[in-house]
Amino acid sequence: MAMARQDTDARRALQALEDGRSSVRLRAALETGTRPDPRYVGKLIERCGTEPEFFVRDMLTWALTRHPVSVTLPGLLREVRSERAQARSQALHTLSKIGDPRAWPSITTALLTDADDEVARSAWRAAVLLVPQGEQSALAMVLATQLGRGERETQLSLSRALVALGDAVLPALRSAATAPDPGERAHGLATERLLRDPDAGFEFAIEEAKRILALGGSDQEGQ
């Protein structure tokens, strides 16, 4: 009897994840995380790739973190190769929350430089959390190729990722200081400022970098 009830509850929760009402989907995601069941994992991962509401996606990720990594990891690693940008982004976000080092090989250069800003930002966050000791400098060199990319929010995400790598990013930032693109140079200088002074604030750092470049100087002078 108990087994039949569990089967009924599982079917109801899986159906609710497809409901047209976001409040119902949110409750279903909460239920699947509160009472983990391997039968939920495939649908949770699939739904992450299509769910339109941010707060529901966040609950889906939470539900996945409540399941054993041995069950969730294979599906998430497949999903980062999906053709759907949202599926890639949310899978990377979930991997960053799980924090299992076995996910590191899936954080490829293609993902770190993905044309979709949300995917790239998720990849940056996951990468700095999962990068093995000794590989920070190589990761920094790849991330530095994205300096100057996108709007302020994207640039701030990249700066935060680079700063999280510590002094390992300095060679990459120094190389960016001679880049032909002024936006890349300014972003590199601003990121280095944030590395030295985390309290400076990104807007202040980027405006200061632009001023230095406009005057033909370098933030490295006198250092």
Side-chain angles (χ1 to χ4, degrees):
M1 180 71 69
M3 186 66 71
R5 174 62 182 273
Q6 290 175 1
D7 288 344
T8 299
D9 289 345
R11 286 196 298 271
R12 184 180 297 114
L14 290 170
Q15 291 171 354
L17 288 172
E18 301 284 356
D19 194 277
R21 294 161 293 179
S22 61
S23 60
V24 174
R25 300 196 303 275
L26 182 66
R27 287 196 299 271
L30 176 61
E31 180 180 344
T32 61
T34 303
R35 299 181 178 82
D37 187 320
R39 289 174 292 184
Y40 295 146
V41 171
K43 176 57 71 175
L44 287 170
I45 293 175
E46 176 189 332
R47 189 66 202 175
C48 279
T50 59
E51 172 56 50
E53 299 292 343
F54 169 79
F55 58 90
V56 179
R57 291 199 302 273
D58 212 38
M59 188 65 77
L60 292 169
T61 282
W62 173 80
L64 285 166
T65 66
R66 298 274 295 166
H67 288 77
V69 178
S70 60
V71 178
T72 59
L73 191 60
L76 290 170
L77 295 182
R78 286 192 298 271
E79 201 73 350
V80 299
R81 301 191 297 270
S82 172
E83 294 183 357
R84 297 191 308 274
Q86 181 177 306
R88 298 195 302 276
S89 176
Q90 199 66 24
L92 287 163
H93 173 65
T94 305
L95 288 172
S96 73
K97 294 297 184 181
I98 292 172
D100 193 291
R102 289 174 294 180
W104 167 248
S106 71
I107 312 298
T108 61
T109 298
L111 287 171
L112 294 169
T113 60
D114 198 284
D116 185 278
D117 284 346
E118 285 301 319
V119 175
R121 290 170 59 190
S122 295
W124 301 338
R125 290 191 292 266
V128 298
L129 290 169
L130 298 172
V131 61
Q133 189 62 34
E135 296 194 35
Q136 290 91 343
S137 295
L139 173 59
M141 293 302 293
V142 177
L143 294 180
T145 66
Q146 303 303 291
L147 287 167
R149 168 179 175 165
E151 302 299 327
R152 281 289 191 269
E153 190 174 4
T154 297
Q155 292 185 8
L156 176 57
S157 292
L158 181 59
S159 289
R160 284 173 172 167
L162 286 163
V163 168
L165 295 174
D167 289 346
V169 305
L170 286 173
L173 294 179
R174 297 284 163 78
S175 295
T178 60
D181 178 55
E184 182 179 344
R185 295 201 305 274
H187 194 185
L189 285 174
T191 302
E192 187 171 350
R193 172 62 187 268
L194 290 174
L195 179 63
R196 298 197 313 269
D197 181 10
D199 295 327
F202 183 72
E203 288 300 326
F204 173 80
I206 199 75
E207 292 305 321
E208 182 183 62
K210 289 179 177 179
R211 177 183 60 80
I212 291 168
L213 292 175
L215 294 172
S218 168
D219 203 30
Q220 300 167 26
E221 291 176 356
Q223 297 179 35

